Amino acid sequence: MDMFYFILQNTMFFMIPLLIVALGGMFSERSGVVNIALEGKMVMGAFTGVLFLNIFQNPERVTDHGILLLALLVAMITGIVIALLHAFAAINLKANQIISGIAINMFAPAFAIYVAVFYLHEQHVPFINQFRIASVPLLGDIPILGPLLFQRTYITTYLGFLIFGISAFVLYKTKFGLRLRACGEHPQAADSVGVNVAKVRYAGVLISGALAGMGGLIWIIPISTRFGGSVAGYGFLALAVLIFGAWKPKRILFAAFFFGIMQTVANSFTGIPFLLNLGIPASFYNMAPYIATLILLAFTSKNTQAPKAVGQPYDKGQR
């Protein structure tokens, strides 16, 4: 039973950032703007969030979750700022959205490393990582569910599920969600009934930036004590989760869970006796999530329908 808890808890650590970032990508692409810049936004969010912790964290109060929430806010704001650049290029300038995203992905790690070396004289930004909750009062004592969800966990896990619930509600139960989906499917029809397509797309891209920036910091918190300008391709993996999840919140949740398990196998196989005893080289486990990504996308992408107007700059003259 302890092994079951170990696998599921580690899966949560890898699943939650994937879920949050993929949901962010969903808002952008559902509005009609391709967002392959999730990787760059994750890097920037992780960098500024960790730098905030490095500067303001009190060594005597390292378990203060207030400072973690502030760092998440900083990461979100950073993601929004980077998303503004992408939105301006894609919506106002009608630039190629793929090239804009690639530019952000190239800029982010270089900027993070440059600032880290300039400010700290080293590439990696350290922080004190003692935010793990040993046991949530009362809830941690619940049989089975307590050890699974409320022991040895992080507040970011609950934040991830909260964001999932809010995202599903906003997308399908609100006027904004309806307009967002309309702008990604048929912006001319949305414009004809008074919807400001540019504003809705801006909103979608900025939400995407906020969630990607937050996801970058959430990715680094459980697994490390320093940040070195990379999120190990997690932004691209989140894109795979988005596509495999068919741009729908519930399917994205299941896709994130699957890829979370694959990442657990890749990063924690030494703690799983069955896998360790197989004698398979570590490099194979490290490749497993990305091999699974290629296989799944090869077999499912043909049956996955993206928003019809995604990647197409809106032109009022087209009716």
Side-chain angles (χ1 to χ4, degrees):
M1 202 64 179
D2 289 340
M3 183 55 58
F4 175 76
Y5 294 146
F6 172 80
I7 294 173
L8 265 294
Q9 287 176 341
N10 277 273
T11 297
M12 293 294 177
F13 296 156
F14 295 109
M15 165 193 169
I16 294 300
L18 275 179
L19 174 64
I20 292 174
V21 177
L23 288 172
M26 178 193 71
F27 277 103
S28 177
E29 300 205 356
R30 280 284 199 157
S31 74
V33 178
V34 172
N35 197 347
I36 68 166
L38 295 176
E39 177 87 358
K41 293 169 186 175
M42 284 186 73
V43 169
M44 291 298 294
F47 171 67
T48 55
V50 169
L51 186 62
F52 178 85
L53 290 174
N54 177 274
I55 297 172
F56 294 104
Q57 196 172 22
N58 185 344
E60 297 179 358
R61 299 181 60 190
V62 293
T63 56
D64 184 1
H65 288 89
I67 195 72
L68 176 57
L69 293 176
L70 287 175
L72 289 171
L73 180 61
V74 170
M76 290 179 66
I77 293 172
T78 303
I80 290 173
V81 171
I82 300 300
L84 273 172
L85 301 176
H86 184 54
F88 180 74
I91 300 170
N92 294 84
L93 302 182
K94 295 179 172 58
N96 186 296
Q97 297 168 16
I98 302 294
I99 294 176
S100 173
I102 292 174
I104 291 173
N105 288 338
M106 295 177 66
F107 165 80
F111 176 83
I113 293 173
Y114 174 80
V115 174
V117 172
F118 179 81
Y119 179 74
L120 298 173
H121 307 292
E122 62 174 320
Q123 180 175 328
H124 296 87
V125 183
F127 67 101
I128 303 171
N129 186 358
Q130 293 188 10
F131 296 111
R132 179 176 286 193
I133 302 171
S135 180
V136 178
L138 299 178
L139 296 177
D141 298 327
I142 300 174
I144 300 178
L145 196 61
L148 182 62
L149 295 177
F150 302 110
Q151 292 182 15
R152 298 180 297 278
T153 186
Y154 288 84
I155 193 173
T156 51
T157 299
Y158 310 123
L159 185 61
F161 286 114
L162 177 63
I163 289 172
F164 164 74
I166 293 174
S167 298
F169 177 80
V170 168
L171 190 65
Y172 293 115
K173 301 295 182 180
T174 66
K175 185 185 294 185
F176 170 75
L178 177 61
R179 291 176 175 178
L180 187 84
R181 287 180 283 134
C183 290
E185 293 293 338
H186 202 308
Q188 286 78 18
D191 189 23
S192 69
V193 294
V195 175
N196 189 319
V197 176
K199 285 186 177 180
V200 172
R201 287 189 168 182
Y202 254 97
V205 176
L206 296 188
I207 291 172
S208 175
L211 294 182
M214 178 194 294
L217 182 58
I218 289 177
W219 176 79
I220 201 72
I221 287 295
I223 65 172
S224 182
T225 56
R226 60 181 188 168
F227 178 70
S230 172
V231 291
Y234 242 64
F236 298 112
L237 200 56
L239 274 175
V241 169
L242 175 63
I243 296 169
F244 185 52
W247 293 267
K248 298 177 181 178
K250 289 183 180 179
R251 290 189 59 174
I252 288 173
L253 176 66
F254 289 113
F257 180 75
F258 170 78
F259 284 105
I261 291 178
M262 297 304 298
Q263 284 290 342
T264 298
V265 170
N267 292 274
S268 305
F269 72 93
T270 55
I272 305 173
F274 169 73
L275 296 178
L276 188 61
N277 294 333
L278 291 177
I280 298 175
S283 57
F284 175 82
Y285 290 112
N286 294 332
M287 292 188 297
Y290 306 100
I291 294 174
T293 299
L294 292 173
I295 294 173
L296 284 174
L297 291 181
F299 285 99
T300 63
S301 58
K302 290 184 178 180
N303 299 322
T304 303
Q305 183 64 50
K308 292 181 180 179
V310 67
Q312 301 175 11
Y314 175 58
D315 184 357
K316 278 181 174 287
Q318 295 180 354
R319 294 287 182 181

